[in-house]
Amino acid sequence: GQQVMQIPQYQHVQEGEDFTTYCNSSTTLSNIQWYKQRPGGHPVFLIQLVKSGEVKKQKRLTFQFGEAKKNSSLHITATQTTDVGTYFCAGRFTGNTPLVFGKGTRLSVIA
Amino acid sequence: NAGVMQNPRHLVRRRGQEARLRCSPMKGHSHVYWYRQLPEEGLKFMVYLQKENIIDESGMPKERFSAEFPKEGPSILRIQQVVRGDSAAYFCASSPRGGANTGELFFGEGSRLTVL
C-alpha cells in the first residue's frame, strides 16, 4: 500500500539546539499535514501544505513541501522543553484517499 | 464548543469479549475517521464514515471489526472476540468536510484498549 516514511524515529537534543524531521513518499502527494502528539496525548494539527515548494513558518517552526511534492520537512529552531512530543507527517495521495501517517519522530529535549 | 469526545478513555477486556468504543464528533462535523495506534507506532487508518454511510473501510480488518455512524448518536467502533493483538489506542477524528477539501482532522483523546 501507499506509505509515508519518516525519519529519524527518535531525536534527543539539548535545549536550544535545532531539530529537523523528514518525511518521504515514493508517490506524489496531493497535500501533506503535520501533527504533534504530546506523551499520553492525542494528535494536534499543526499545518497543511498543498503547493509544490511551499514553505510556511509558525514562530520557531518551519515547514517545507518539496518541489516534486514527494517530501516534506519540519524544522524547529532553538528547541524548548515545551517542544517535547512526537511529530507526525500525514500525506494524502489523492483527493479522496484517507490521510496516511508516518511513524513519527519522537523528540526529547534535555534542559 | 466541545471537541471530539471519545469514551471510554480506558477499557479492559478479556480475550473473547467485545469492545465498543464511542466517538461524538465536533459540533457541525459529519465526517468521522477511526485510527489505531500501537505503542511507538504511527496512526493506522481504519475507517472513514459519514452520517449513516461507510465511505472507506480499507484499513479495517475483515473479521471481528465493524463501525457505524448512525443518523442520531455517536459513531461506534465495535471489536468482537477481542485478542491480545487488539490492545492499542483507538483515536477518532472528525472534520466538517470530506474528500479533497477535508483539511485539518480534529482528534479525540483516544480510547485505550487493553486485552488481558
Side-chain angles (χ1 to χ4, degrees):
Chain A
Q2 291 163 325
Q3 289 184 316
V4 173
M5 307 302 293
Q6 192 173 353
I7 57 168
Q9 189 173 0
Y10 301 96
Q11 186 80 58
H12 307 277
V13 300
Q14 291 278 352
E15 191 173 21
E17 290 183 338
D18 292 355
F19 158 76
T20 306
T21 173
Y22 301 91
C23 198
N24 288 285
S25 167
S26 58
T27 312
T28 301
L29 297 165
S30 171
N31 60 60
I32 194 158
Q33 298 180 2
W34 286 91
Y35 290 79
K36 177 183 178 181
Q37 185 177 24
R38 293 185 186 276
H42 60 282
V44 175
F45 175 83
L46 294 175
I47 210 155
Q48 175 171 284
L49 304 169
V50 179
K51 298 176 183 175
S52 167
E54 190 168 14
V55 177
K56 286 189 177 179
K57 293 193 175 187
Q58 288 179 352
K59 297 184 180 177
R60 295 179 293 105
L61 278 61
T62 302
F63 304 85
Q64 290 188 303
F65 200 10
E67 293 289 343
K69 298 183 71 172
K70 290 184 178 181
N71 57 76
S72 181
S73 64
L74 158 58
H75 180 82
I76 302 178
T77 304
T79 54
Q80 300 174 0
T81 54
T82 52
D83 295 325
V84 163
T86 302
Y87 292 84
F88 292 98
C89 61
R92 195 179 304 278
F93 289 91
T94 66
N96 292 320
T97 56
L99 273 179
V100 176
F101 280 76
K103 289 196 173 183
T105 297
R106 177 181 279 189
L107 173 64
S108 300
V109 179
I110 305 162
Chain B
N1 188 13
V4 178
M5 304 300 290
Q6 286 190 250
N7 68 82
R9 293 288 310 279
H10 300 274
L11 182 63
V12 179
R13 285 286 179 266
R14 296 191 180 279
R15 281 180 297 169
Q17 292 185 319
E18 179 179 289
R20 281 191 183 221
L21 310 177
R22 288 173 290 278
C23 169
S24 295
M26 283 184 71
K27 188 177 180 181
H29 289 194
S30 59
H31 301 263
V32 165
Y33 313 80
W34 285 93
Y35 283 83
R36 176 163 66 178
Q37 185 175 39
L38 294 168
E40 310 291 320
E41 293 283 319
L43 296 114
K44 185 173 182 297
F45 169 78
M46 300 183 72
V47 62
Y48 162 33
L49 310 102
Q50 204 176 348
K51 279 288 185 181
E52 300 185 271
N53 292 306
I54 296 175
I55 308 299
D56 184 340
E57 57 181 348
S58 58
M60 195 111 92
K62 294 285 183 272
E63 296 179 355
R64 303 187 298 108
F65 284 74
S66 62
E68 62 177 11
F69 189 14
K71 187 177 180 181
E72 301 292 336
S75 174
I76 295 174
L77 180 67
R78 182 181 176 207
I79 311 173
Q80 294 178 289
Q81 299 175 334
V82 295
V83 301
R84 290 218 174 101
D86 296 332
S87 296
Y90 292 83
F91 286 96
C92 170
S94 73
S95 66
R97 299 174 299 275
N101 297 316
T102 300
E104 171 184 358
L105 293 187
F106 295 81
F107 281 86
E109 295 192 1
S111 291
R112 284 154 178 83
L113 171 66
T114 302
V115 180
L116 301 178

